[in-house]
Amino acid sequence: MDIHVLTIFPDMFPGVIDASIVGLARTRGVVGVHLHDLRDHTNDRHRSIDDRPFGGGPGMVFKPEPVFRAVEAIERSISSDRAVRRVLLTPQGERFTQPAAERLAKADALILICGHYEGFDERIRTGLKPDELSIGDYVLSGGEVPALVVIDAVTRLLPGALGDERSAPEDSFSRGGLDFPHYTRPVEFRGMRVPDVLRTGDHDRIEAWREMKARERTRARRPDLLDSARPERDRATATPETSQTTNGRRKP
Ligand code: ADE
């Protein structure tokens, strides 16, 4: 997969994308992360990417021209048989969840558009018809940190990204609820013991214990996830609320 990021702060990405699973996945060629400075797609002396809002009010609004130009240039660089998704990071978007990450992971390429200031000219939404994603009900300074969240959550789902292919499906949320508790050595630490069942070697009992603990934890901390629990096969094939066809390209 290739992930293209359109941002006015490309310097916010190195470090995070160099480390851990994303860093390894990039080294292994599982994912490519390509940073595009929105200012490179302006054509005025000041390289302006925003302007004052029509109708007055505080703050600045992202201009449509540089964003359209940048997205079109990025798409020209991607082979036309590849499934591309445009994604706008905005607090007004659909909530980014594990099923949303699973949907994005099916694409061949993502274009993540990071906004700033008061927002976007509405024509960026109506003209480019991106998926719109929010990472939570709070307002951040821009879409860069949300884009990093999306890059991380999607990359770890790509085949070859994790050392152990079983890890991703067993995470919290992938099974529709929270994860079970994990233990390693020592067997006893400051008076706290590893549950005996985990040391029996009886895989059926261990699996039953883990399922029970995962359900208990989900009920106690996130009962909303139990309400929305659905069979695993549904979750993997859920379709997005918002859908787009990018210039007639195939869309996953
Ligand atoms: N931009 C600013 N806040 C955001 C959020 N919560 N999610 C996605 N993009 C954002």
Side-chain angles (χ1 to χ4, degrees):
M1 170 182 280
D2 284 298
I3 304 182
H4 296 265
V5 185
L6 186 56
T7 170
I8 54 170
F9 294 120
D11 293 349
M12 286 179 70
F13 290 80
V16 181
I17 62 169
D18 295 334
S20 188
I21 288 175
V22 175
L24 261 177
R26 291 175 63 221
T27 312
R28 291 186 184 138
V30 170
V31 70
V33 181
H34 314 280
L35 303 172
H36 303 269
D37 189 335
L38 185 61
R39 289 189 197 278
D40 292 343
H41 298 271
T42 54
N43 54 12
D44 65 313
R45 223 158 33 94
H46 302 290
R47 302 190 0 123
S48 18
I49 43 86
D50 55 5
D51 207 338
R52 284 166 306 175
F54 276 118
M60 300 288 272
V61 175
F62 259 29
K63 291 157 66 66
E65 307 96 308
V67 177
F68 273 69
R69 261 199 300 272
V71 168
E72 286 160 5
I74 293 166
E75 287 181 351
R76 276 196 300 275
S77 76
I78 302 172
S79 160
S80 61
D81 62 344
R82 302 191 78 207
V84 181
R85 290 185 90 117
R86 300 169 176 167
V87 178
L88 186 63
L89 285 314
T90 160
Q92 298 181 22
E94 178 196 344
R95 178 71 65 84
F96 182 60
T97 56
Q98 192 64 27
E102 287 164 10
R103 268 178 346 241
L104 293 185
K106 295 193 181 114
D108 298 318
L110 302 179
I111 302 174
L112 305 182
I113 307 167
C114 309
H116 258 266
Y117 311 120
E118 292 302 301
F120 309 90
D121 185 291
E122 189 64 14
R123 289 163 292 187
I124 293 171
R125 292 197 166 91
T126 53
L128 291 176
K129 297 187 175 49
D131 291 348
E132 297 185 34
L133 292 179
S134 164
I135 63 162
D137 290 342
Y138 36 80
V139 179
L140 300 167
S141 314
E144 281 74 14
V145 170
L148 284 165
V149 168
V150 170
I151 291 169
D152 191 299
V154 169
T155 297
R156 55 200 312 292
L157 294 174
L158 300 176
L162 301 181
D164 182 342
E165 290 302 323
R166 287 170 307 168
S167 301
E170 291 184 2
D171 282 346
S172 286
F173 302 114
S174 293
R175 301 206 287 192
L178 301 182
D179 203 2
F180 50 79
H182 299 258
Y183 293 88
T184 184
R185 281 179 291 201
V187 171
E188 181 158 347
F189 174 68
R190 298 192 180 181
M192 298 175 278
R193 278 187 69 78
V194 172
D196 290 337
V197 59
L198 297 180
R199 299 172 55 236
T200 57
D202 180 339
H203 294 294
D204 290 344
R205 274 189 67 202
I206 292 171
E207 184 57 21
W209 181 88
R210 285 176 164 168
E211 272 185 22
M212 178 189 70
K213 288 291 174 189
R215 252 197 318 275
E216 257 175 38
R217 181 165 281 190
T218 307
R219 192 171 302 116
R221 299 182 185 187
R222 293 292 307 275
D224 56 306
L225 293 177
L226 288 176
D227 296 343
S228 64
R230 58 205 160 97
E232 201 148 312
R233 63 179 185 283
D234 293 358
R235 244 176 287 125
T237 56
T239 47
E241 268 173 37
T242 52
S243 196
Q244 86 207 359
T245 307
T246 307
N247 296 343
R249 286 171 189 274
R250 196 161 58 82
K251 183 170 174 178

